[in-house]
Amino acid sequence: MMRKFKYFIDYDKEEKWLKEMANKGYQLESVSFGYKFRQAEPKDTVIKIDYRRFKKQEDFIEYCTLFEDSGWQHIIGTKSSGTQYFKKMDHNSDEDIFSDKKSRAGKYKRLSNMFMEMAICYLPIFVALQTTGAIDVEAIVNPKLLYFTQGLWEMSGLSFWRAFLFETPFALFRGLAWLFIPVSLISFLFFSYKANRLYEKNLN
């Protein structure tokens, strides 16, 4: 077994990479905490990706069955995972799981909406933490505010370095804790934008 750590927004690039891995003799086994491959004979494997979530298990099963009837085996994904992986099993089936540009682009629109939903969920959390003082935005610009030792910046010599080195791990922890929410919020907005650009690109 081999595990690779990568992250893709562009499913076309991910599909190309998975095809290259299969040609090198690495067949995709799972996608959770990285990509897990098993070593096998090099094979020209075609994998296509869709993004779709379902409320009901029956709808998910019907979705998978529809593709399998067209020669594509569902290999990875659950009704709530979003990203769905299909492997071409019938050489006579179409080269893509989508029939036209609109349906092919739709996966990026659904992905963009998911990231936007996540950003919307994080926004009130960020506002609440900032309002209550749990997140100190000024500390992001001025890291000295992360240090709580009284009179630290007026100290000198050995006393300063002893106090500074002692508190630095705690200051770093505070900084990372404060940064998690705003960084996540910005990341979700960025990924939503990138996915939407891919949606528009695939429509043209």
Side-chain angles (χ1 to χ4, degrees), residues 146-191:
L146 296 172
Y147 291 81
F148 292 167
T149 301
Q150 190 172 3
L152 174 64
W153 306 109
E154 285 72 44
M155 296 179 184
S156 62
L158 186 60
S159 298
F160 167 78
W161 286 108
R162 185 183 294 121
F164 176 78
L165 293 175
F166 174 79
E167 192 172 356
T168 291
F170 300 99
L172 289 173
F173 177 78
R174 293 184 198 109
L176 290 174
W178 290 344
L179 282 172
F180 176 77
I181 296 296
V183 167
S184 297
L185 176 60
I186 293 170
S187 297
F188 290 140
L189 290 172
F190 174 74
F191 290 145

Side-chain angles (χ1 to χ4, degrees), residues 37 130 145 164 172:
F37 297 90
Q130 185 182 0
L145 297 176
F164 176 78
L172 289 173

Side-chain angles (χ1 to χ4, degrees), residues 34-188:
Y35 296 81
K36 188 177 179 181
F37 297 90
R38 64 176 174 84
Q39 198 155 8
E41 289 294 323
K43 189 177 180 181
D44 188 20
T45 303
V46 179
I47 292 178
K48 293 295 179 179
I49 305 169
D50 188 18
Y51 185 88
R52 201 179 292 268
R53 292 182 291 179
F54 300 86
K55 293 181 179 180
K56 298 180 180 179
Q57 183 69 17
E58 304 83 63
D59 294 337
F60 174 64
I61 293 173
E62 183 179 344
Y63 163 80
C64 295
T65 303
L66 178 65
F67 283 105
E68 287 177 0
D69 290 343
S70 302
W72 292 87
Q73 179 188 359
H74 182 266
I75 56 173
I76 298 171
T78 64
K79 73 180 183 68
S80 56
S81 65
T83 309
Q84 313 292 341
Y85 293 78
F86 294 89
K87 181 165 69 173
K88 186 177 181 180
M89 303 301 293
D90 187 347
H91 294 292
N92 296 320
S93 60
D94 294 334
E95 290 300 311
D96 202 344
I97 57 176
F98 303 104
S99 58
D100 52 49
K101 286 185 177 181
K102 186 176 181 180
S103 59
R104 187 181 302 111
K107 60 185 177 183
Y108 291 114
K109 190 63 175 178
R110 292 187 290 273
L111 182 63
S112 176
N113 291 341
M114 183 276 294
F115 281 124
M116 183 57 69
E117 289 171 7
M118 294 296 293
I120 291 171
C121 290
Y122 270 67
L123 183 59
I125 298 174
F126 174 68
V127 173
L129 291 175
Q130 185 182 0
T131 303
T132 58
I135 292 179
D136 189 349
V137 178
E138 291 185 17
I140 298 174
V141 181
N142 183 12
K144 286 185 177 181
L145 297 176
L146 296 172
Y147 291 81
F148 292 167
T149 301
Q150 190 172 3
L152 174 64
W153 306 109
E154 285 72 44
M155 296 179 184
S156 62
L158 186 60
S159 298
F160 167 78
W161 286 108
R162 185 183 294 121
F164 176 78
L165 293 175
F166 174 79
E167 192 172 356
T168 291
F170 300 99
L172 289 173
F173 177 78
R174 293 184 198 109
L176 290 174
W178 290 344
L179 282 172
F180 176 77
I181 296 296
V183 167
S184 297
L185 176 60
I186 293 170
S187 297
F188 290 140

